[in-house]
């Protein structure tokens, strides 16, 4: 990656999903690091996007649907901020010509086209939206390479690995292993029997991080770590068999790498997403941050455990999906998005999420044909797996 292009000057950011957990923290970081904002987008929180637009003066504000956009247009009539809607608006926000970096903080597959659009327009992308790298990894990495743009990780584990790799021998050639840390979520140590009874409220109570609802549930099922394993495979080119997972309850060691000589390098910090967000924005520079300094003696001890793969079956499903390659990662991701949505509507139980993800891995795709290299086949596999999962969910409740 050519670090010289934007080093040392305040960046111009377009933030997709600016009303979410990552989006609002990104705005906080952008303000403190002197960045300017060119575009902001939201799903349906019109009032919040209005307030953000008034504060940060983007040229473009985008709502998911035309009705919310019409509402925002009236509210922002005195500001000169242009308002757009839908996927077209999102892609426009990703391609603004006065933008240095597009921060994709959307949740789910809706983020795929805007990421590709940003790259095709020559924009660097800071990616929090892990689902789209899981589903479209080959296509996204190929698009980044063809357009010579950077893909900077925002996810704390991948930021940690990226930080550990600074100054490494070129091409990651001495890199032997990646070790992802996982908090274990709210249900660490629980048996399947105990998990039969947990509900939405318990699944939404993460011990260490305050995040959007979807990723919070992914952390409870540990699907999040499976998604991150696939994400790491694409970002760092490491074969999945060389990516390990270790439970680390305190979320202070954000991940580790091991070199050929068995030296292990880790990145540590208090659990605060503003740190990885800031590094993605200011890289290769480092600047002061409002994040609390780490005092290891305060923590006293840090603990590590092996994951319970029998209880948290989503990790194994993701590992198998990336080992098979092609469209399998898209299939497990789509099944999970659909299952999490059903769980949030309290239509299925907590353990059903893992059952549906594993089932989609085996049955959602009719053949092994697709390589997952075109947008059309990725979107078709996504749709097919969602449809399969809805049907499979009906069977569960009978
Ligand atoms: P969130 O639900 O808090 O925010 C999502 C944002 O996307 C919101 O601004 C919402 O308006 C927008 N959005 C959602 N659906 C949309 C749609 N259909 N069309 C247009 N806009 C839409 O989610 P989050 O927790 O901020 O997570 C965002 C991404 O970052 C996810 O992929 C998540 O896995 C990843 N991530 C989050 C955290 C965290 O701490 N929250 C940490 C690591 C990675
Ligand atoms: Mg993470």
């Amino acid at each position: 990656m050519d670090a010289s292009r934007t080093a040392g000057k305040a960046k111009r950011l377009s933030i997709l999903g600016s009303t979410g957990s990552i989006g609002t923290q990104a705005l906080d970081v952008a303000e403190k690091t002197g960045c300017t904002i060119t575009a902001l987008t939201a799903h349906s929180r019109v009032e919040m996007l209005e307030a953000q637009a008034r504060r940060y003066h983007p040229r473009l504000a985008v709502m998911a649907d035309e009705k919310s956009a019409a509402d925002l247009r009236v509210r922002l009539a005195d500001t000169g901020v242009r308002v757009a809607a839908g996927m077209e608006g999102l892609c426009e926000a990703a391609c603004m010509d006065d933008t240095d970096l597009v921060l994709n903080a959307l949740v789910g597959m809706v983020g795929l086209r805007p990421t590709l659009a940003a790259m095709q327009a020559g924009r660097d992308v800071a990616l929090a939206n892990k689902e789209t790298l899981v589903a479209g990894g080959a296509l996204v990495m190929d698009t980044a390479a063809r357009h010579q743009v950077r893909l900077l990780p925002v996810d704390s584990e991948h930021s940690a690995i990226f930080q550990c790799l600074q100054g490494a021998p070129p091409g990651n050639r001495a890199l032997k292993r990646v070790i992802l840390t996982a908090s274990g979520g709210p249900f660490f140590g629980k048996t399947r029997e105990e998990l039969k009874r947990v509900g939405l409220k318990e699944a939404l109570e993460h011990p260490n991080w305050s995040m959007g609802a979807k990723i919070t549930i992914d952390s409870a099922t540990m699907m999040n770590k499976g998604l991150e394993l696939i994400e790491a495979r694409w970002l760092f080119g490491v074969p999945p068999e060389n990516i390990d997972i270790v439970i680390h309850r305190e979320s202070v060691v954000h991940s580790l790498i091991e070199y050929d000589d068995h030296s292990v390098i880790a990145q540590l910090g208090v659990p605060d997403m503003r740190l990885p967000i800031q590094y993605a924005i200011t890289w290769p520079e480092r600047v002061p941050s409002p994040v609390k300094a780490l005092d290891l003696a305060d923590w006293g001890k840090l603990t590590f455990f092996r994951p319970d793969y029998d209880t948290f079956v989503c990790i194994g499903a993701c590992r198998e999906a990336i080992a098979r390659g092609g469209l399998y990662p898209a299939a497990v991701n789509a099944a999970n998005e659909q299952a999490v949505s059903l769980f949030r509507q309290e239509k299925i139980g907590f353990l059903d999420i893992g059952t549906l993800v594993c089932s989609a891995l085996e049955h959602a795709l009719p053949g092994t044909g697709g390589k997952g290299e075109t947008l059309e086949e990725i979107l078709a596999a996504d749709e097919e797996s969602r449809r399969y999962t809805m049907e499979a969910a009906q069977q569960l409740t009978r």
Side-chain angles (χ1 to χ4, degrees), residues 9-26:
K9 66 174 181 151
K11 289 183 185 158
R12 299 165 300 177
L13 299 185
S14 166
I15 302 182
L16 314 182
S18 63
T19 53
S21 163
I22 293 289
T24 50
Q25 295 180 84

Side-chain angles (χ1 to χ4, degrees), residues 17-23 41-43 64 90 105-108 110 128-131 155 210-212 215 273:
S18 63
T19 53
S21 163
I22 293 289
T41 87
H43 181 249
L90 274 178
L106 296 165
V107 60
V110 67
N129 177 223
K130 68 185 83 181
E131 295 89 352
D155 215 348
S210 160
M211 310 180 284
I215 186 176
M273 283 307 295

Side-chain angles (χ1 to χ4, degrees), residues 307-360:
D308 173 356
Y309 293 105
D310 295 331
T311 303
F312 298 95
V313 295
C314 291
I315 311 176
C318 287
R319 197 179 272 287
E320 179 60 25
I322 188 65
R324 291 186 196 175
L327 293 163
Y328 286 104
V332 291
N333 175 68
N336 180 60
E337 285 194 28
Q338 199 65 58
V340 169
S341 163
L342 291 170
F343 177 68
R344 287 176 67 189
Q345 297 165 53
E346 302 189 300
K347 290 186 174 159
I348 60 170
F350 179 76
L351 286 177
D352 294 335
I353 301 174
T355 304
L356 290 171
V357 168
C358 292
S359 177

Side-chain angles (χ1 to χ4, degrees), residues 130 155-157 224 228:
K130 68 185 83 181
D155 215 348
S156 58
E157 295 77 1
N224 186 47
E228 291 185 354

Side-chain angles (χ1 to χ4, degrees), residues 91-161:
C91 290
E92 201 187 330
C95 297
M96 310 272 288
D97 54 12
D98 55 356
T99 293
D100 300 309
L101 182 69
V102 176
L103 198 154
N104 185 342
L106 296 165
V107 60
M109 279 294 284
V110 67
L112 184 55
R113 280 179 214 251
T115 291
L116 297 173
M119 290 174 160
Q120 284 156 358
R123 305 287 163 263
D124 291 337
V125 175
L127 193 71
N129 177 223
K130 68 185 83 181
E131 295 89 352
T132 59
L133 193 56
V134 168
L139 176 64
V140 171
M141 296 315 289
D142 179 62
T143 307
R146 269 194 293 120
H147 294 272
Q148 297 187 315
V149 295
R150 293 186 208 119
L151 186 57
L152 294 150
V154 171
D155 215 348
S156 58
E157 295 77 1
H158 305 76
S159 173
I161 296 161

